[in-house]
Amino acid sequence: GENVEQHPSTLSVQEGDSAVIKCTYSDSASNYFPWYKQELGKRPQLIIDIRSNVGEKKDQRIAVTLNKTAKHFSLHITETQPEDSAVYFCAAGFQGAQKLVFGQGTRLTINP
Amino acid sequence: DAGITQSPRHKVTETGTPVTLRCHQTENHRYMYWYRQDPGHGLRLIHYSYGVKDTDKGEVSDGYSVSRSKTEDFLLTLESATSSQTSVYFCAISEGGVSYGYTFGSGTRLTVV
């Protein structure tokens, strides 16, 4: 079955700098890769996703890149702000499948 | 809020007792999921449902059972709670499976003493 590895487990950056979180997956059939953000004590919420027919997707300060050959995808946050502090989860699955497999999570801290 | 509610929000129970967690949705979504969240392990799938009375196991299903007798409710039962089942449990719903994305409930914090 699918296995998703996420790195780093913790990340601390200065406000205004960029943050990058990386994930690798094992199943070459996977073609849907969402990212979820979980603020302290809250539920995970979808922030961006990418499908295998594109290599990059942007939404304001957030971008996700996908390298299908290497089976890895990354979340990029630019101009970080204090409200970006949270735990971020990547996940992988394939369209038509019934479940997602999640990475272990990255705790991002933005230092003022 | 988000069309999905979990109950209870917090529970403390004793080792060996049965426990049932409830997930209720008002979105009429076909898919429902139970995940547990533990530090260092992310979100791990326990069981999921793809329709009324249609369920399947996830990667950490031992010691858990589920039931879905109607579209809106998905119950997770710990047959005989153990300390290793202390965790935060999240229910999620999806309209059409993986590529439609998940909406998560607010979670249930379960402590087994």
Side-chain angles (χ1 to χ4, degrees):
Chain A
E2 176 65 279
N3 183 54
V4 179
E5 296 288 332
Q6 182 173 347
H7 298 281
S9 58
T10 61
L11 180 61
S12 182
V13 301
Q14 290 298 118
E15 183 177 352
D17 288 350
S18 296
V20 180
I21 302 170
K22 299 180 179 181
C23 290
T24 60
Y25 61 98
S26 60
D27 191 343
S28 57
S30 289
N31 58 9
Y32 176 67
F33 308 94
W35 286 87
Y36 289 80
K37 175 184 181 182
Q38 185 182 29
E39 297 176 354
L40 189 62
K42 301 285 184 64
R43 72 187 78 194
Q45 292 192 299
L46 179 68
I47 55 171
I48 195 168
D49 58 12
I50 190 168
R51 300 173 199 276
S52 61
N53 56 345
V54 297
E56 183 175 5
K57 183 177 180 180
K58 289 184 179 179
D59 183 2
Q60 299 182 346
R61 296 186 296 108
I62 293 173
V64 58
T65 58
L66 171 65
N67 183 327
K68 285 219 69 176
T69 302
K71 290 193 277 189
H72 66 72
F73 56 111
S74 301
L75 178 71
H76 305 254
I77 306 174
T78 59
E79 301 173 8
T80 54
Q81 300 170 3
E83 55 263 38
D84 295 328
S85 293
V87 176
Y88 292 80
F89 292 99
C90 63
F94 61 90
Q95 196 159 344
Q98 297 171 330
K99 57 187 185 290
L100 288 171
V101 177
F102 286 83
Q104 296 85 350
T106 295
R107 181 174 299 279
L108 175 63
T109 302
I110 308 302
N111 300 308
Chain B
D1 180 27
I4 175 173
T5 55
Q6 292 184 232
S7 59
R9 292 295 310 276
H10 302 271
K11 185 170 181 67
V12 179
T13 192
E14 293 187 348
T15 299
T17 61
V19 177
T20 295
L21 309 183
R22 181 183 185 231
C23 179
H24 178 78
Q25 60 145 331
T26 58
E27 303 295 325
N28 200 35
H29 285 348
R30 178 183 175 189
Y31 294 89
M32 299 185 76
Y33 306 84
W34 279 107
Y35 283 84
R36 61 178 287 176
Q37 182 177 18
D38 305 287
H41 292 278
L43 293 158
R44 292 181 293 173
L45 182 64
I46 304 171
H47 282 280
Y48 66 101
S49 171
Y50 47 96
V52 174
K53 295 195 167 97
D54 292 322
T55 65
D56 205 350
K57 296 179 180 180
E59 60 184 303
V60 290
S61 60
D62 287 348
Y64 301 94
S65 63
V66 291
S67 67
R68 192 171 179 199
S69 59
K70 44 187 178 177
T71 299
E72 57 265 38
D73 288 325
F74 192 33
L75 304 180
L76 176 71
T77 298
L78 287 65
E79 306 289 349
S80 176
T82 68
S83 58
S84 64
Q85 293 176 312
T86 292
S87 187
V88 179
Y89 291 85
F90 283 99
C91 177
I93 60 174
S94 176
E95 180 178 2
V98 160
S99 58
Y100 286 74
Y102 287 2
T103 299
F104 283 89
S106 298
T108 294
R109 182 173 295 277
L110 177 68
T111 302
V112 183
V113 297

